[in-house]
Amino acid sequence: MYKFDEINYYEDDLNIKNILKEINLQEIDESLNICDLTNIVNKHDIWQKNLPRIHPHYAVKCNDNPYIVKTLAELGTSFDCASKNEIKQVLDFGVNPEHIIFANPCKPLSHIEFAKEKNVQTGTVDNEFEIYKLYKHYPESKLVVRFRCEAKNAQCPLGNKFGCDAENDATALMLLAKSLDLNVCGTSFHVGSGCNEFAAYNRAIMTAKNIFNFGEMLGFNMNLLDIGGGFPGSDDTKFLTISNIINVALDRYFSSQKIKVIAEPGRFYVAAAYTLICKIHAKREVRNAGKLDTKMYYINDGVYGSFNCILYDHHEVTATHMLNDSEGGLPTFKTLLWGPTCDALDKISDNLYLPNLNCGDLLAFPNMGAYTVPIASPFNGFMTPKTLYFMKKKPT
Ligand SMILES: Cc1ncc(COP(=O)(O)O)c(C=O)c1O
């Protein structure tokens, strides 16, 4: 039987249909995550093969589950933390503070004090108030100036909230840091999460070079380029295209190997590792002038739970019907999926075509590992999913 509080091992491939048959979900009324930690190991391989010069700092905010953080720490990635608690969590796994970047440009004071106490020295800044704050409370820290360079098309743009103007503000911030005798060591950007305009990386790396030049002119030891996140979670072909653009840009603008290049990937590592299994518990058919228009199903997870990613991350839902091997070729119907709460905002998708389904049927939702788990709430008394963790057995 599978266990919830430890890793379950599989031999060749993770077969979700077989797992579900064995755990008899028909008797359980809560949604369930199946997390394949080997998927994360494979992602790390892909990263190392395609971006060998770039040291990944996993963005903990994306999914702070301890199994994920531990797996990545054991693989040797570093970490992007946004808060005191994220720093603490990562340090508790034995990660060296030098392998953490405090990549929140607007940090509460107690979090800065914690970083100082734990010797997490490197952090991003994008405004003068943060620089004054660091001058007062952590003058020995290493500043990474984050500038704004957004993709024209991204799932979640970040530029309205973070990143200074690269031409005017970045230079002014570095001059201020110099006048306060602070230590600027590099620059960073984030093209937007789920970047869909890959040339943005080239533009940003080119801009970073200008900022490096200015910093060096001021006498700073500029040795850190942080290219942020934005990498796709479930499309490795896109990832290869992005890698190619980044490698060419680095060769062109940052050929010196003395410069350490890091990134802050989040969804790249974890999105595809999770498949969410939900059960239909209620059904309605909507008719228009007596004719069937839509089949509506109510399932045991929704936008207040795992599907918060629809609201916050603009996630596009895909679903497969589980446990029915013989339905290929069956007619499909316009399908609307509702979450379990009594709120009409709790709509998962009205854009799916699925075969006729019934109460008790299971649906599988792939790519549910990014920006889902840490945000889910048990609103209306509907519990967030439990997770079963799997890993491929190592050959003996
Ligand atoms: C500062 C920072 N770094 C990294 C990430 C991770 O981005 P992604 O999941 O697109 O790789 C985010 C996401 O919001 C972020 O805010």
Side-chain angles (χ1 to χ4, degrees), residues 104-141:
N104 181 347
C106 299
K107 300 174 268 300
L109 182 53
S110 62
H111 298 223
I112 292 176
E113 284 166 350
F114 184 76
K116 181 174 176 176
E117 184 193 319
K118 298 294 174 188
N119 206 25
V120 173
Q121 292 184 345
T122 312
T124 56
V125 291
D126 67 1
N127 66 79
E128 65 271 33
F129 303 101
E130 194 75 3
I131 290 185
Y132 284 121
K133 213 194 287 170
L134 290 168
Y135 170 65
K136 202 161 164 207
H137 300 282
Y138 197 2
E140 332 64 282
S141 67

Side-chain angles (χ1 to χ4, degrees), residues 139-254:
E140 332 64 282
S141 67
K142 296 178 187 167
L143 277 54
V144 176
V145 175
R146 175 163 164 183
F147 66 92
R148 178 176 183 174
C149 185
E150 279 177 297
K152 293 187 185 110
N153 177 3
Q155 210 169 319
C156 294
L158 295 164
N160 279 342
K161 188 165 180 184
F162 295 117
C164 66
D165 166 72
E167 286 198 1
N168 303 309
D169 296 348
T171 46
L173 292 179
M174 283 193 285
L175 280 166
L176 174 64
K178 188 76 196 167
S179 71
L180 296 173
D181 208 19
L182 294 174
N183 176 13
V184 174
C185 70
T187 189
S188 77
F189 59 85
H190 195 308
V191 293
S193 191
C195 168
N196 277 315
E197 191 238 344
F198 308 152
Y201 286 98
N202 178 58
R203 266 200 316 279
I205 291 170
M206 184 175 72
T207 306
K209 178 65 182 172
N210 293 335
I211 294 177
F212 256 67
N213 287 345
F214 190 76
E216 275 162 4
M217 212 179 70
L218 291 181
F220 289 124
N221 178 17
M222 300 291 282
N223 54 28
L224 185 71
L225 170 64
D226 175 358
I227 69 163
F231 307 93
S234 54
D235 187 335
D236 290 342
T237 314
K238 268 193 197 171
F239 179 73
L240 299 196
T241 310
I242 292 175
S243 305
N244 203 22
I245 289 171
I246 291 172
N247 289 331
V248 170
L250 289 179
D251 282 351
R252 181 157 177 200
Y253 300 109
F254 287 93

